[in-house]
Structures are given as structure tokens and as C-alpha cells.
């Protein structure tokens, strides 16, 4: 990838958009009204908009290593706050992906410096589901299941926030757990029993 090529690509893209709709950028500059907040992994192979087939303006996006929602991360908590309170999204998606480097790193016991504290949040997921994960003898299957369970736990972390609980009571906001399978290109809905999780979480983490 030649870095200068990006500006050529951009010119072409602007041209194509204007060809189809001369007021495309004028409309885009008026503001955003997305209905979905997408929290995904920073992995360069896992694009947000492209794999969902959506356009600029459709989805509010946050990405970090291994699509995490740590309870103390001001970045992701601010994104959730803004999306729920100000953009009034009705759906929050946590999307993980198989063959995630962050999840793989958390499965190993190497010292990775500053990454250690981030990976500790993923290792906490392993600890919570140790019995199930240790029973999977095939390492690739265990790795894939760990990715799925991490998505599930991050959905729970989303639900734990006061903003989401209020939005659930007010307008029935929904949280979805998805996994992108890099090997097939398919997006998989983990069909997390959202209402059941919501009730369990609210029993302990309720804010009112
Ligand atoms: Zn990843």
C-alpha cells in the first residue's frame, strides 16, 4: 500500500459519490442520525462499515483491541454515553472476530508490557468461563469459543452501564453480540438471550 495512493483513491471516491448524488457531501455535513452503535476490534481485516454493507452516517463506530468494554475505560464509556444519550441509538452491537490477535495473546502467558493491563480484561473472561474453555481439547475450537464468550461478556459490560439500563427502561434499547468469521466472511449473530441477561445483570447492577 503506497500512502500517496490513498489521496488518489479519495479523489476517485469523491468523484463517484458526486456522480451518483451531487448533494451527497452537502447532506452528509448536515449531521448524523445513526441508529446503531458498533463496538468492534481494531484488526485491519475487520472493517466495520464494509462487512455490514452500510454507508457513512449509518453507524456510530468504536474499535479497540479485541472489542473490549472495560468498566473503567473512559474512551469506550464516553462513546456509549454519547451514542445512547445524544444520538439515541436503538441498537448496540459488540462484534468480535475469529482469529483475533488480542484474544490469542490473552490465551498465552507472555509478558507484553503495556498491553498486559488491557489483556487482563480478556483473561478475566477466561477465568469466568475456565471450566467450559478448559474442556475444549481442540485448541482452535477453544480459541473460537473464547472469542464468542468474550463478546458475550463485553455485551454484559455494555448492559451494566447506567445509560443503557435507563435506555432499556425508556425505549427498549437492544444489545447484540456478533462474531465475524474471517475464514468465510460471514457475520454470525450469537443470539444472546438479551432479555435474560438484562434481567440477571439488572438484579445486581441496577441503578434505580
Ligand atoms: Zn481482533
Amino acid at each position: 500500500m503506497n500512502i500517496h495512493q490513498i489521496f488518489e483513491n479519495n479523489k476517485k471516491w469523491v468523484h463517484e459519490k458526486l456522480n451518483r448524488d451531487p448533494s451527497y457531501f452537502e447532506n452528509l455535513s448536515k449531521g448524523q442520525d445513526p441508529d446503531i452503535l458498533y463496538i468492534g476490534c481494531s484488526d485491519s481485516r475487520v472493517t466495520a462499515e464494509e462487512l455490514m454493507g452500510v454507508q457513512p452516517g449509518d453507524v456510530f463506530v468504536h474499535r479497540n483491541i479485541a472489542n473490549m468494554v472495560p468498566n473503567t475505560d473512559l474512551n469506550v464509556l464516553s462513546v456509549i454515553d454519547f451514542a445512547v444519550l445524544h444520538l439515541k441509538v436503538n441498537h448496540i452491537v459488540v462484534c468480535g472476530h475469529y482469529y483475533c490477535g488480542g484474544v490469542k495473546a490473552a490465551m498465552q502467558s507472555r509478558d507484553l508490557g503495556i498491553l498486559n493491563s488491557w489483556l487482563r480484561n480478556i483473561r478475566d473472561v477466561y477465568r469466568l468461563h475456565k471450566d467450559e474453555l478448559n474442556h475444549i481439547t481442540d485448541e482452535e475450537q477453544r480459541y473460537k469459543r473464547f472469542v464468542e464468550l468474550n463478546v458475550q461478556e463485553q455485551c454484559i459490560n455494555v448492559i451494566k452501564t447506567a445509560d443503557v439500563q435507563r435506555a432499556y427502561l425508556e425505549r427498549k434499547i437492544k444489545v447484540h453480540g456478533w462474531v465475524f468469521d474471517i475464514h468465510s466472511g460471514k457475520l454470525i449473530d450469537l443470539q444472546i438471550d438479551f432479555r435474560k441477561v438484562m434481567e440477571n445483570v439488572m438484579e445486581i447492577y441496577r441503578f434505580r
Side-chain angles (χ1 to χ4, degrees), residues 36-178:
I36 301 170
L37 163 62
Y38 171 97
I39 299 168
C41 183
S42 296
D43 192 307
S44 60
R45 300 165 297 175
V46 189
T47 64
E49 289 85 353
E50 199 178 346
L51 70 89
M52 291 189 281
V54 298
Q55 295 300 315
D58 288 342
V59 180
F60 197 62
V61 172
H62 178 77
R63 291 168 69 182
N64 62 36
I65 293 173
N67 41 271
M68 300 302 289
V69 184
N71 297 319
T72 51
D73 180 38
L74 201 54
N75 191 350
V76 72
L77 295 179
S78 302
V79 166
I80 292 171
D81 183 272
F82 184 72
V84 172
L85 288 188
H86 301 280
L87 297 173
K88 303 237 177 272
V89 298
N90 284 303
H91 300 273
I92 300 178
V93 170
V94 176
C95 185
H97 67 102
Y98 295 142
Y99 310 103
C100 178
V103 172
K104 179 132 209 170
M107 279 176 84
Q108 297 153 355
S109 10
R110 275 176 57 205
D111 181 354
L112 292 165
I114 200 161
L115 274 173
N116 288 339
S117 58
W118 191 257
L119 296 178
R120 202 171 297 143
N121 296 302
I122 315 175
R123 288 184 180 132
D124 285 342
V125 174
Y126 200 102
R127 180 172 52 80
L128 279 171
H129 297 275
K130 197 173 74 175
D131 290 345
E132 180 184 344
L133 289 167
N134 283 349
H135 265 97
I136 306 171
T137 47
D138 183 272
E139 197 178 331
E140 190 173 344
Q141 290 310 316
R142 187 163 74 238
Y143 179 19
K144 283 180 149 182
R145 184 64 186 142
F146 190 14
V147 165
E148 294 172 1
L149 290 169
N150 184 44
V151 167
Q152 186 182 304
E153 289 302 325
Q154 302 321 310
C155 284
I156 291 171
N157 283 345
V158 168
I159 294 167
K160 279 195 243 167
T161 65
D163 292 338
V164 172
Q165 289 186 32
R166 272 188 219 108
Y168 177 71
L169 295 172
E170 279 163 23
R171 62 176 194 272
K172 294 276 173 266
I173 192 171
K174 284 204 174 67
V175 178
H176 311 265
W178 296 351

Side-chain angles (χ1 to χ4, degrees), residues 13-14 16-30 55-57:
W13 177 74
V14 170
E16 280 167 13
K17 288 285 182 198
L18 290 176
N19 249 353
R20 251 179 266 157
D21 177 6
S23 49
Y24 182 78
F25 292 103
E26 200 189 314
N27 288 336
L28 210 55
S29 65
K30 284 178 188 161
Q55 295 300 315

